Amino acid sequence: MKIGFFRWFWLLVCLVGLSGELRAEEEVAVEEEAKEQKEEPKAKLSEDGKVLELPGVKVMLKEKYVDVDAKVCLTEGLLELAVCGKDTKNHESVFSLETKAELVHAALLLINVKPGNPAMRKPVEGKEGVWVDLEPKGEEVNVYVVVKDAEGKPVERPISDFIMKAGEDFHGIEQGGKEEAKKEPFPTHTFLFAGSHVWEEEGAPPKYLADLDGNVISLSTFGDEMLCLPGIHTHGNEALAWQVDSTHLPELDTPVTLRLRPKSVEKKAEEK
């Protein structure tokens, strides 16, 4: 369910007018409330109105991309996700968020990225016990990871640089003296903004499932991921096909920045 988006989106709507300018009186109110609570404001707009800062997220309102705080959570092993929620599926993801997935969702909405839906199964009308698989939908988003090079300068790499096809030995099959297979990189850094789901129960606050289950940027199909690949991809042990490529990966627990840029924005930039 995506009705109302969720509480953080409404906070942002209150803070940011349709023109992208912060309402001065509301900014003062937020700051005064924060002082009372002895903490920094939850959201802050730059003086030029180009950057909105949220906890662990920067929304580049003019340049139309989102930067997200994350860290390296796995340096070797099989993968079901590229990115998981904080302290969730760190054993099967390359990176984990250092913020809430619902905030990342809200940030993408603010730069006009349109969500769709994760893969779903629905009953066929009039045919008891018959179900049909519906593929995921959503606007295309290119995902990058900003890491530091040997000189300490930030470098933007497609997230596909950190994922490669799993070797046969990961499935318990000995290679038996065969030449080691040539490394096969992950084929894309473009994902669909499926948008996960908001789960609502009477008497309880709404829950954003990508935060609850940790399925933020998925390689396998779970049905509640925020960003996913086109199509449906099983996640049974016999189907795991991807592993960490540590060639350019920093050490475990190293902070990194995930950069989410709509594919349409990059296309327009290329056409200029």
Side-chain angles (χ1 to χ4, degrees), residues 19-270:
S19 64
E21 296 179 358
L22 190 68
R23 299 175 191 175
E25 65 275 14
E26 290 178 358
E27 181 181 23
V28 170
V30 170
E31 290 179 347
E32 288 179 351
E33 182 180 352
K35 285 179 181 178
E36 292 177 4
Q37 298 177 0
K38 296 182 180 181
E39 62 180 27
E40 293 297 319
K42 294 292 186 183
K44 181 179 179 182
L45 189 71
S46 62
E47 290 185 4
D48 58 10
K50 295 179 180 180
V51 181
L52 179 68
E53 292 189 35
L54 307 172
V57 180
K58 286 186 179 180
V59 189
M60 309 303 175
L61 297 168
K62 183 176 178 60
E63 297 179 79
K64 303 293 184 185
Y65 69 87
V66 174
D67 276 354
V68 183
D69 290 348
K71 70 176 182 179
V72 178
C73 65
L74 192 69
T75 55
E76 63 178 352
L78 292 170
L79 300 171
E80 292 190 356
L81 299 136
V83 181
C84 68
K86 186 175 182 178
D87 298 326
T88 57
K89 295 185 173 181
N90 295 36
H91 61 291
E92 52 197 17
S93 311
V94 190
F95 306 100
S96 61
L97 295 186
E98 288 290 279
T99 184
K100 292 286 189 179
E102 65 177 14
L103 283 182
V104 182
H105 184 128
L108 289 171
L109 293 177
L110 282 173
I111 58 171
N112 300 317
V113 185
K114 294 179 174 57
N117 58 262
M120 298 183 292
R121 299 196 78 198
K122 287 193 172 182
V124 176
E125 189 174 351
K127 295 185 178 181
E128 187 176 350
V130 179
W131 295 72
V132 61
D133 290 328
L134 301 179
E135 294 195 357
K137 296 186 296 184
E139 188 168 341
E140 292 181 313
V141 177
N142 288 341
V143 181
Y144 301 90
V145 183
V146 181
V147 297
K148 292 182 179 180
D149 64 12
E151 298 177 355
K153 297 179 180 179
V155 176
E156 182 180 284
R157 289 186 174 276
I159 199 166
S160 52
D161 278 3
F162 306 97
I163 305 168
M164 65 181 181
K165 188 173 181 180
E168 288 185 338
D169 55 321
F170 266 110
H171 296 272
I173 301 173
E174 295 296 333
Q175 294 184 1
K178 295 180 181 178
E179 289 185 15
E180 187 175 345
K182 184 179 179 181
K183 183 173 75 174
E184 185 176 332
F186 193 70
T188 185
H189 65 292
T190 303
F191 294 79
L192 304 180
F193 180 28
S196 191
H197 297 285
V198 175
W199 180 258
E200 295 180 290
E201 290 183 286
E202 187 175 350
K207 298 176 182 178
Y208 189 58
L209 290 186
D211 279 318
L212 192 65
D213 296 334
N215 301 320
V216 179
I217 303 181
S218 68
L219 308 180
S220 301
T221 299
F222 295 94
D224 62 0
E225 42 272 302
M226 185 180 72
L227 292 172
C228 67
L229 296 170
I232 297 173
H233 307 271
T234 180
H235 52 89
N237 286 336
E238 74 284 354
L240 292 173
W242 306 105
Q243 70 182 69
V244 178
D245 183 348
S246 60
T247 306
H248 305 289
L249 189 66
E251 295 180 357
L252 193 67
D253 294 329
T254 300
V256 299
T257 298
L258 298 177
R259 181 159 293 164
L260 310 180
R261 187 181 291 117
K263 189 174 181 178
S264 59
V265 170
E266 291 196 352
K267 187 176 180 180
K268 288 179 182 178
E270 291 171 359

